[in-house]
């Protein structure tokens, strides 16, 4: 069962996965596909031993922000998000997911135009 915590500190329509706790302002929009997206992040975090996941994510986002000058495009181009968005609607994906899939060919490339 997902551990969802509602907090007014989060912006609307946003979910932050912090060490397997899902923080959101309002859980009403969180469905099984959002949970699956976050569970993909759980798998990514476990295989990178949590802290390196956050460091790599942050550095990759900063580099993409410098490149695109667009917060949303940078966010969606982060390798971890590309995998989670590409397979979030496939509820069987985690059963066949290979380790470090965010950096493998099955994950769609970033579009930075």
């Amino acid at each position: 069962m997902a551990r969802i915590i509602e907090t007014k500190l989060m912006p609307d329509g946003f979910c932050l996965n912090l060490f397997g706790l899902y923080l959101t302002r309002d859980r009403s929009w969180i469905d099984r596909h959002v949970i699956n997206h976050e569970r993909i992040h759980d798998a990514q975090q476990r295989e990178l031993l949590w802290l390196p996941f956050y460091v790599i994510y942050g550095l990759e986002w900063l580099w993409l922000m410098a490149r695109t000058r667009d917060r949303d495009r940078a966010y969606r181009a982060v390798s971890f998000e590309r995998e989670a968005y590409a397979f979030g609607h496939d509820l069987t994906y985690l059963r066949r997911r290979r380790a470090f899939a965010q950096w493998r060919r099955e994950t769609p490339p970033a579009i930075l135009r």
Side-chain angles (χ1 to χ4, degrees), residues 44 79-87 93 97 101-102 107:
Q44 295 164 341
S79 59
F80 302 110
E81 293 300 339
R82 287 195 328 263
E83 180 190 11
Y85 277 108
F87 300 104
Y93 173 67
R97 180 184 183 271
Q102 67 272 9
T107 299

Side-chain angles (χ1 to χ4, degrees), residues 14-39:
F14 188 79
C15 184
L16 173 67
N17 184 336
L18 196 58
F19 299 100
L21 295 174
Y22 307 159
L23 307 176
T24 187
R25 177 176 285 270
D26 173 24
R27 72 173 60 211
S28 66
W29 66 277
I30 296 182
D31 63 11
R32 61 189 178 159
H33 301 291
V34 174
I35 296 294
N36 196 51
H37 174 106
E38 296 306 328
R39 285 188 176 147

Side-chain angles (χ1 to χ4, degrees), residues 27-102:
R27 72 173 60 211
S28 66
W29 66 277
I30 296 182
D31 63 11
R32 61 189 178 159
H33 301 291
V34 174
I35 296 294
N36 196 51
H37 174 106
E38 296 306 328
R39 285 188 176 147
I40 292 168
H41 288 318
D42 289 340
Q44 295 164 341
Q45 291 171 22
R46 274 191 308 277
E47 68 196 11
L48 288 170
L49 304 175
W50 291 274
L51 189 57
F53 168 87
Y54 294 103
V55 172
I56 293 166
Y57 190 114
L59 291 173
E60 189 174 350
W61 183 81
L62 287 171
W63 179 77
L64 290 162
M65 266 298 291
R67 224 175 133 189
T68 65
R69 304 275 187 225
D70 182 314
R71 191 179 336 167
D72 187 56
R73 282 178 55 207
Y75 160 74
R76 292 203 174 248
V78 170
S79 59
F80 302 110
E81 293 300 339
R82 287 195 328 263
E83 180 190 11
Y85 277 108
F87 300 104
H89 281 75
D90 181 350
L91 300 178
T92 64
Y93 173 67
L94 284 170
R95 289 186 213 140
R96 66 180 188 283
R97 180 184 183 271
R98 295 176 12 182
F100 304 102
Q102 67 272 9

